[in-house]
């Protein structure tokens, strides 16, 4: 709380002030805190009906009375009159202006959390909303001047709530603001988003149509670009979700709930998100899960394993169009590019074109290395922890052979050797049909090691190339005997059918 309170009540350091003219003096000085007021202005403002016979003496007497209540050092003399010797932060009428300026600054810069905090701090100076009509005494005039500041704070608070995703909280204040300012398209845009999230797209579409009709009838014009784009989004939201190439889980995905949440958050915040990790970690399956639950109504999943060139043609084939950018942009789609490591340069060029030529399209990639784009958020996928690895191995082993004996210590040792790699665990579990767990563990006497994913390197001629490394699946085959490829294939959960001429064990 500030030292001097004037907006909702009249107090100084917790003690109420008395005397209408004395309060008027303090209000006038608070209205111009830095410069204060001259004698002439004070007389005109405080004695409107009848001027005193000796104006200077009358002001001096009033100032003496005010100093008796406020303190002798609170009102100081100036060359022409008087001013309050208080900082702006200690007078609520000035502090709210500072809060409003800070809130507007943060809102313009996109820091909506800070804008919301400043707006709430400013609004806290009022016990209740200021009345619409006020008298013409100095205190009422000051309060009327700050009413505009109050309204700007209410506006920033509502917009910030909406932009922070707190749609239910923002819905009521935005509805009231739009009713008061029916031509404010910034407010209307956020209200449509809130109605879409809280009530449903049909309500938002109805409000948009009412607004468009009123514009045509009254002004002969159309809504702005942002509103028209939002209208298209609302119409698409009413259509059923479409998932092209996205697979369903044949069995539960273990130990990846936190990863699904983290990648989904990155997708909401970034135009491009890359799930990065060595072969066999389960990047592809994680991408399928994220794609199924993505907020976008349309998702295109494009597998790139087995190709060494022609990424654009592969995407065109999946989208069934020659104009990839236009098709993605028209549906505000999510494009998923899986197994990008062998065509990293082509993928980077395509993704760069998509994000620079569209406004809302999102891209998710899986690879052993990032694309290296400024718009990219990278999520390094970790190995499974030991308890989850043991659970995965146990489930897959019992699925392969229901009566298999699984000594806890041996299983834990085996999972530890396989470094928590889901693919390696599933390949090993498939072997229980022909080997005991102890035998499998002995075959893995040497610690199982995977070459970490290669990177993009610059050659001496300035071109960029992919440094190839042995795949995770290749290492698994070396230890687990390629003759059992067919028996392992059915346990590679979530892997799409391999391309002709490629290994049937997908590594991501």
């Amino acid at each position: 709380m500030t030292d001097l309170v004037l907006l909702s009540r009249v107090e100084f350091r917790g003690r109420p002030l008395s005397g209408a003219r004395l309060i008027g003096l303090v209000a006038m000085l608070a209205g111009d805190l830095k410069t204060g007021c001259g004698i002439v202005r004070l007389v005109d403002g405080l004695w409107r009906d009848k001027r005193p016979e000796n104006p200077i003496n009358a002001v001096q007497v009033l100032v003496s009375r005010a100093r008796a209540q406020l303190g002798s050092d609170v009102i100081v003399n100036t060359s022409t009159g008087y001013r309050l010797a208080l900082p702006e932060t200690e007078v609520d009428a000035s502090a709210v202006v500072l809060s409003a300026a800070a809130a507007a600054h943060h809102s313009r810069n996109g820091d909506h959390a800070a804008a919301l905090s400043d707006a709430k701090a400013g609004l806290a100076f009022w016990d209740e909303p200021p009345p619409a009509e006020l008298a013409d005494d100095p205190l009422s005039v000051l309060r009327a001047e700050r009413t505009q500041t109050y309204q700007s704070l209410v506006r920033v608070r509502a917009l910030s709530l909406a932009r922070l995703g707190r749609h239910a909280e923002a819905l009521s204040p935005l509805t009231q603001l739009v009713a008061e300012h029916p031509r404010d398209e910034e407010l209307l845009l956020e209200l449509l988003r809130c109605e879409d999230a809280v009530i449903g797209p049909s309500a938002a579409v109805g409000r948009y149509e009412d607004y468009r009709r009123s514009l045509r009838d009254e002004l002969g014009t159309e809504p702005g670009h942002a509103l028209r784009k939002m209208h298209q989004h609302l119409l698409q939201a009413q259509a059923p979700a479409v998932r092209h190439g996205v697979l369903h889980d044949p069995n539960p995905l273990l130990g990846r709930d936190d990863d699904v949440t983290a990648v989904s958050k990155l997708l909401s915040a970034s135009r491009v998100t890359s799930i990065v990790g060595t072969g066999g970690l389960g990047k592809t399956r994680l991408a399928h899960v994220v794609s199924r639950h993505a907020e976008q109504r349309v998702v295109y999943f494009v597998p790139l394993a087995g190709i060494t060139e022609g990424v654009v043609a592969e995407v065109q084939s999946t989208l069934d169009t020659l104009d990839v950018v236009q098709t993605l942009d028209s549906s505000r789609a999510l494009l998923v590019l899986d197994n990008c490591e062998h065509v990293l340069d082509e993928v980077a060029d395509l993704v760069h074109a998509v994000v620079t030529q569209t406004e809302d399209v999102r891209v998710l990639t899986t690879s052993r290395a990032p694309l290296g784009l400024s718009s990219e958020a990278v999520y390094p996928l970790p190995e499974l922890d030991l308890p989850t690895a043991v659970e995965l191995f146990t489930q897959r082993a019992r699925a392969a052979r229901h009566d298999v004996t699984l000594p806890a210590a041996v299983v834990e040792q085996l999972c530890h050797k396989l470094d928590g790699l889901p693919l390696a665990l599933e390949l090993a579990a498939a072997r229980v049909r022909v080997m005991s767990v102890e035998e499998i563990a002995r075959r893995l006497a040497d610690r199982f090691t995977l070459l970490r994913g290669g990177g993009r390197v610059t050659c001496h001629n300035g071109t960029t190339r992919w440094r190839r490394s042995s795949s995770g699946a290749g290492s698994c085959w070396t230890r687990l005997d390629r003759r059992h490829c067919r028996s392992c294939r059915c346990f590679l959960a979530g892997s799409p059918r391999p391309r002709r001429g490629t290994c049937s064990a997908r590594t991501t």
Side-chain angles (χ1 to χ4, degrees):
M1 180 182 292
T2 57
D3 283 349
L4 181 57
V5 177
L6 296 169
L7 296 178
S8 294
R9 56 194 183 279
V10 181
E11 294 178 354
F12 182 72
R13 293 174 182 167
R15 298 176 58 187
L17 299 181
S18 59
R21 190 163 280 135
L22 183 150
I23 292 173
L25 168 68
V26 173
M28 291 186 69
L29 297 179
D32 287 290
L33 196 60
K34 293 183 178 180
T35 59
C37 295
I39 296 293
V40 175
R41 182 180 170 192
L42 289 173
V43 171
D44 291 339
L46 296 173
W47 286 274
R48 294 187 178 187
D49 297 333
K50 183 179 180 181
R51 294 172 64 88
E53 294 181 2
N54 190 335
I56 296 178
N57 183 63
V59 172
Q60 290 175 342
V61 171
L62 186 60
V63 168
S64 297
R65 289 173 48 204
R67 283 170 173 164
Q69 293 193 43
L70 301 174
S72 59
D73 58 343
V74 174
I75 300 179
V76 298
N77 294 66
T78 67
S79 58
T80 59
Y82 301 92
R83 70 175 180 85
L84 291 175
L86 293 172
E88 292 178 285
T89 55
E90 293 304 326
V91 179
D92 62 354
S94 296
V96 293
V97 176
L98 298 178
S99 295
H105 172 76
H106 289 305
S107 182
R108 287 192 301 269
N109 292 337
D111 189 351
H112 303 301
L116 178 61
S117 177
D118 289 327
K120 286 183 174 180
L123 291 171
F125 289 110
W126 280 272
D127 295 338
E128 57 186 16
E133 296 183 3
L134 295 168
D136 60 352
D137 61 278
L139 178 60
S140 297
V141 169
L142 175 64
R143 289 176 172 176
E145 291 173 352
R146 294 300 181 266
T147 298
Q148 185 175 358
T149 305
Y150 176 87
Q151 293 170 345
S152 71
L153 288 168
V154 170
R155 174 192 174 91
V156 172
R157 180 182 62 181
L159 291 173
S160 299
L161 284 170
R163 289 163 179 169
L164 289 170
R166 296 164 63 174
H167 299 114
E169 297 176 67
L171 182 58
S172 178
L174 279 174
T175 301
Q176 182 176 346
L177 285 169
V178 169
E180 296 169 357
H181 308 280
R183 294 289 181 261
D184 191 323
E185 293 198 350
E186 184 180 17
L187 290 172
L188 180 57
L189 178 64
E190 296 304 329
L191 176 57
L192 294 180
R193 289 196 176 110
C194 290
E195 287 187 328
D196 177 32
V198 178
I199 304 174
S202 59
V205 169
R207 183 180 291 276
Y208 174 87
E209 294 295 349
D210 290 342
Y211 175 71
R212 182 169 62 176
R213 191 178 304 109
S214 68
L215 276 186
R216 287 177 175 176
D217 294 344
E218 298 173 18
L219 302 176
T221 186
E222 290 287 330
H225 172 73
L227 278 179
R228 295 197 304 272
K229 193 165 184 123
M230 183 63 188
H231 181 232
Q232 291 299 315
H233 169 70
L234 293 170
L235 294 177
Q236 292 164 7
Q238 292 179 302
V242 180
R243 301 290 186 256
H244 298 278
V246 179
L247 304 180
H248 289 275
D249 285 325
N251 40 53
L253 180 63
L254 300 178
R256 293 302 190 194
D257 291 347
D258 291 342
D259 300 306
V260 171
T261 301
V263 173
S264 298
K265 287 182 178 179
L266 288 178
L267 264 182
S268 298
S270 306
R271 296 294 305 280
V272 182
T273 301
S274 292
I275 304 172
V276 174
T278 191
L281 275 176
K283 300 186 293 295
T284 293
R285 189 170 180 192
L286 177 62
H288 279 290
V289 174
V290 171
S291 299
R292 282 200 306 276
H293 298 96
E295 62 184 27
Q296 287 77 11
R297 306 297 296 177
V298 179
V299 178
Y300 294 99
F301 197 104
V302 185
L304 299 177
I307 72 169
T308 57
E309 60 181 1
V311 170
V312 173
E314 195 77 11
V315 175
Q316 289 173 334
S317 176
T318 300
L319 274 62
D320 193 22
T321 182
L322 293 177
D323 194 341
V324 170
V325 172
Q326 175 59 31
T327 300
L328 293 173
D329 191 34
S330 63
S331 58
R332 298 163 60 104
L334 168 64
L335 174 64
V336 185
L337 301 172
D338 183 41
N339 287 301
C340 300
E341 51 266 16
H342 300 304
V343 283
L344 204 64
D345 291 330
E346 287 191 49
V347 171
D349 292 341
L350 172 63
V351 172
H352 176 73
V354 169
V355 298
T356 55
Q357 296 178 42
T358 66
E359 183 178 354
D360 297 309
V361 173
R362 293 291 195 268
V363 180
L364 175 64
T365 74
T366 73
S367 180
R368 296 181 191 171
L371 302 179
L373 301 176
S374 60
S375 55
E376 178 184 29
V378 178
Y379 184 75
L381 185 62
E383 295 87 355
L384 296 177
D385 57 39
L386 187 57
T388 305
V390 169
E391 183 180 0
L392 175 62
F393 179 86
T394 301
Q395 285 189 6
R396 299 299 186 266
R398 295 202 183 281
R401 180 180 167 191
H402 69 91
D403 60 346
V404 65
T405 301
L406 299 174
V410 179
V411 170
E412 186 171 318
Q413 180 187 25
L414 186 150
C415 292
H416 179 74
K417 288 180 179 180
L418 294 180
D419 282 346
L421 292 171
L423 176 63
L425 292 165
E426 293 183 353
L427 292 173
R431 294 300 305 275
V432 302
R433 291 179 175 177
V434 295
M435 300 171 64
S436 68
V437 175
E438 290 84 355
E439 288 177 305
I440 297 173
R442 283 195 296 271
R443 292 283 296 272
L444 294 173
D446 295 330
R447 177 179 172 79
F448 175 65
T449 307
L450 287 173
L451 295 179
R452 297 299 174 186
R456 299 175 74 191
V457 295
T458 303
C459 301
H460 60 84
N461 62 359
T463 60
T464 303
R465 292 290 185 267
W466 174 257
R467 181 188 295 140
R468 298 183 182 275
S469 64
S470 300
S471 72
S475 298
C476 294
W477 297 128
T478 300
R479 282 179 162 75
L480 294 173
D481 191 340
R482 298 179 185 231
R483 292 176 301 169
H484 298 278
C485 170
R486 294 185 182 276
S487 66
C488 295
R489 186 180 300 170
C490 64
F491 298 106
L492 301 181
S495 297
R497 180 170 296 184
R499 292 174 175 273
R500 183 175 300 173
T502 64
C503 177
S504 61
R506 298 288 296 276
T507 63
T508 52

